[in-house]
Amino acid sequence: MVAPRPESKQGTTIAQRSDDEATYLPLGEWGSTGARGTVRIERCGPALCGYALTETSSRGESVLVNMKPKSHDVWTGSIYSRSSGNTYYARMTLKSSGRLHVEACALGRFWCSGNDWTRVEEQQEKMITSSRQWSGARS
């Protein structure tokens, strides 16, 4: 019998492995001047993918593609550059729970450039409303 797979929640940063060792994952939303906005990183099969969010789309354009783990805090795959229209080799390294270093490499990985992305706070956590606030609004 195959056990059902646990569902992952968006914004979750820690997932439990079968050996009970905590693995930090860069799931959630990240902001960067290099990415020109917010990128949501989520699972896509056995890998991670990132989508550039826009005001008109909560899914966004795919920018991080098939990022597979290389070590406990490094993933490699491809990154799409909206400015050039090209796809490059990419490496992302989780430096802390709130900082992700993302690099794109060209010329056979000879020339690499990157920047740090910072985790975007969850908007839902900021919007806490008690039932007393709503009961006073009724007429």
Side-chain angles (χ1 to χ4, degrees):
M1 174 189 262
V2 176
R5 296 175 70 187
E7 292 184 28
S8 66
K9 291 183 178 180
Q10 240 175 331
T12 303
T13 58
I14 300 176
Q16 292 294 336
R17 290 182 11 189
S18 59
D19 60 359
D20 292 331
E21 177 185 337
T23 302
Y24 293 93
L25 296 173
L27 301 176
E29 294 183 3
W30 297 85
S32 166
T33 54
R36 295 191 197 113
T38 302
V39 173
R40 177 184 297 129
I41 297 176
E42 56 189 52
R43 292 182 187 271
C44 54
L48 300 177
C49 294
Y51 303 93
L53 304 180
T54 64
E55 292 179 11
T56 58
S57 171
S58 61
R59 179 62 173 189
E61 180 179 25
S62 181
V63 291
L64 294 172
V65 181
N66 204 27
M67 301 296 288
K68 293 185 178 175
K70 285 293 185 187
S71 69
H72 74 283
D73 60 354
V74 177
W75 293 261
T76 59
S78 300
I79 190 167
Y80 173 72
S81 169
R82 293 182 283 176
S83 59
S84 72
N86 293 321
T87 301
Y88 302 97
Y89 171 82
R91 178 176 47 239
M92 61 183 190
T93 305
L94 189 60
K95 299 291 187 177
S96 69
S97 64
R99 190 169 67 107
L100 181 68
H101 186 75
V102 180
E103 289 182 303
C105 300
L107 302 172
R109 300 183 197 170
F110 177 73
W111 184 81
C112 297
S113 176
N115 57 32
D116 287 339
W117 294 8
T118 54
R119 187 176 297 280
V120 175
E121 292 182 26
E122 293 291 326
Q123 295 297 321
Q124 293 175 350
E125 291 176 13
K126 292 180 180 179
M127 297 182 63
I128 298 173
T129 306
S130 71
S131 59
R132 278 185 260 151
Q133 288 173 311
W134 285 105
S135 63
R138 293 184 194 155
S139 46

